[in-house]
Amino acid sequence: MPNSTPATIALRKLGIAFKLHTYVYDSNAESIGLQAAEALGVEPNRVLKTLMAEVDGKPVCAVVPADCEVSMKKLASVMDGKSAKMMRPADAERLTGYHVGGISPFGQKKRVPTAIDESALTHVTVFVNGGQRGLQIEIDPNDAALAAGAKMQAVTASHE
């Protein structure tokens, strides 16, 4: 089966419907999520980037639209913690089993608390990393939350 990754295997095991989309990954892109959106011809707010962070020193996963920034304050609050910071790329790779640029919220080596920004619910389908660079999973946002065991809450910085 082409494009079989821990993420696609996890979704199949759960019986969740999804579509795979491949694109040419540009390792020099300033924003991986925005580059994926452009390559796939979809709105950036439908492409969700998977970010690994730490809340009070414990690993968490935040899934937010490619054109947004995660609010560390909101993320800490959603995860019942005091402070949050981005995880070092090497730590994120070791924890998830994926390479940066290909980190998926599904099928990670170690399941961690996950939050998906609630704005994802405004779309019929969203695109989430499929577990390798250049692979996106198109999925219903409710199914994405179910598969990742995620809370659907506001975790992005406001755009005022």
Side-chain angles (χ1 to χ4, degrees), residues 6-132:
T8 59
I9 292 165
L11 292 173
R12 286 189 185 102
K13 270 191 191 148
L14 292 168
I16 290 175
F18 63 92
K19 277 190 214 138
L20 288 178
H21 298 270
T22 56
Y23 66 98
V24 177
Y25 175 83
D26 177 1
S27 59
N28 297 319
E30 206 169 297
S31 164
I32 295 162
L34 294 177
Q35 190 254 327
E38 192 176 318
L40 294 167
V42 295
E43 305 88 6
N45 62 1
R46 281 185 63 207
V47 176
L48 306 180
K49 57 187 175 184
T50 306
L51 304 170
M52 299 306 294
E54 292 173 18
V55 171
D56 299 344
K58 295 183 181 74
V60 300
C61 179
V63 183
V64 301
D67 59 354
C68 295
E69 292 300 317
V70 69
S71 161
M72 290 299 160
K73 198 169 157 188
K74 288 180 186 171
L75 183 61
S77 171
V78 164
M79 297 296 179
D80 301 319
K82 290 180 177 49
S83 69
K85 65 175 187 170
M86 291 302 292
M87 190 180 287
R88 288 192 355 244
D91 294 340
E93 290 185 346
R94 193 169 44 253
L95 185 81
T96 62
Y98 294 120
H99 292 295
V100 168
I103 294 178
S104 177
F106 317 121
Q108 293 186 359
K109 266 198 321 203
K110 184 175 187 279
R111 195 167 184 140
V112 300
T114 301
I116 297 177
D117 191 68
E118 63 189 9
S119 66
L121 293 170
T122 62
H123 304 289
V124 176
T125 60
V126 290
F127 292 79
V128 181
N129 200 293
Q132 66 188 39

